[in-house]
Amino acid sequence: MSDIEASLVRPLPAPRTKLGNPGPLGLFSFASSTLILSLYNVGARGITTPNVIVGMAIFCGGLAQLLAGMWEFPAGNTFGATAFTSYGAFWLSFAALLIPGSGVGEAYKASANPAQEVDAIAIYLMAWAVVTFLFFLASLRKSVGLTVLFFCLTTTFLVLSLADFQKNDSIGKAGGVFGIITALVAYYCGLSELLTDDDLFTLPLGKYASKMA
């Protein structure tokens, strides 16, 4: 057999299957979208119309997180995959509420009781508070950083939901404050995931002690 023939039948090297960590992408995308909307909720610079968030909600909070979630599945991280995919879907659905062409707002304006839209959004936020609380429970053995993140996010959803139920702007601003805190925690967690031992420094996430056998 010639050298050329031998090279043709030689087994090809196994393809590389090592994946990068999609966690920082998902966390930074979530944090940025949450920070912007929360600043609007507290009335930063007198902004009362939050529709600029639509672009962030679709492409950053929505699509980027959805992709991060899909990449977490082959990495074997069920928690990260479920969380990123869920909140990617949340941001996409939230954007749909603000897009005029979706027909959501128009349906309430055309109804006999347009004010029910606020209560409907409150129920929407309450449902996400429940989902987030479940993630909070699941995070209790993950890391201190993730536990704090999901606690703050659960509180944010609960306060914003209460604000809509009570039609109280002051409570809504309090929800915005909790949202800003949530975003900052998410930035920290994302940076902690991004930095490795090869970088100038690392940030601890606060690993819990292993369960005793």
Side-chain angles (χ1 to χ4, degrees):
M1 180 183 294
S2 67
D3 291 341
I4 296 178
E5 291 173 330
S7 66
L8 292 176
V9 299
R10 185 180 301 137
L12 295 174
R16 295 181 62 184
T17 57
K18 183 175 176 59
L19 298 175
N21 181 8
L25 170 64
L27 287 164
F28 286 159
S29 299
F30 168 82
S32 298
S33 301
T34 301
L35 179 63
I36 292 172
L37 182 60
S38 297
L39 287 172
Y40 295 161
N41 285 337
V42 298
R45 305 294 297 177
I47 296 172
T48 58
T49 303
N51 287 58
V52 168
I53 195 63
V54 170
M56 283 291 292
I58 293 175
F59 295 103
C60 191
L63 180 59
Q65 275 203 96
L66 196 65
L67 289 173
M70 293 299 100
W71 289 325
E72 287 282 18
F73 278 114
N77 184 1
T78 303
F79 179 86
T82 307
F84 287 139
T85 306
S86 296
Y87 291 108
F90 161 77
W91 281 108
L92 289 171
S93 68
F94 184 80
L97 299 180
L98 299 177
I99 297 175
S102 69
V104 176
E106 288 75 3
Y108 287 104
K109 292 176 183 177
S111 68
N113 181 20
Q116 64 181 310
E117 181 180 7
V118 178
D119 288 328
I121 293 176
I123 293 173
Y124 167 84
L125 294 172
M126 183 62 69
W128 278 102
V130 172
V131 172
T132 306
F133 179 72
L134 298 179
F135 280 120
F136 166 73
L137 295 178
S139 72
L140 292 175
R141 297 302 306 177
K142 305 297 182 186
S143 70
V144 176
L146 286 178
T147 300
V148 173
L149 173 61
F150 283 103
F151 174 81
C152 292
L153 185 56
T154 301
T155 305
T156 300
F157 277 125
L158 286 174
V159 175
L160 290 175
S161 177
L162 179 63
D164 282 343
F165 277 130
Q166 297 295 323
K167 316 297 191 294
N168 190 309
D169 291 339
S170 296
I171 299 177
K173 289 184 178 180
V177 172
F178 279 110
I180 292 172
I181 296 172
T182 300
L184 295 178
V185 175
Y187 277 129
Y188 178 91
C189 292
L191 184 58
S192 177
E193 290 281 340
L194 184 64
L195 296 173
T196 67
D197 292 335
D198 295 328
D199 292 306
L200 184 62
F201 64 94
T202 59
L203 295 175
L205 272 178
K207 299 295 184 182
Y208 290 109
S210 300
K211 294 175 67 176
M212 298 298 293

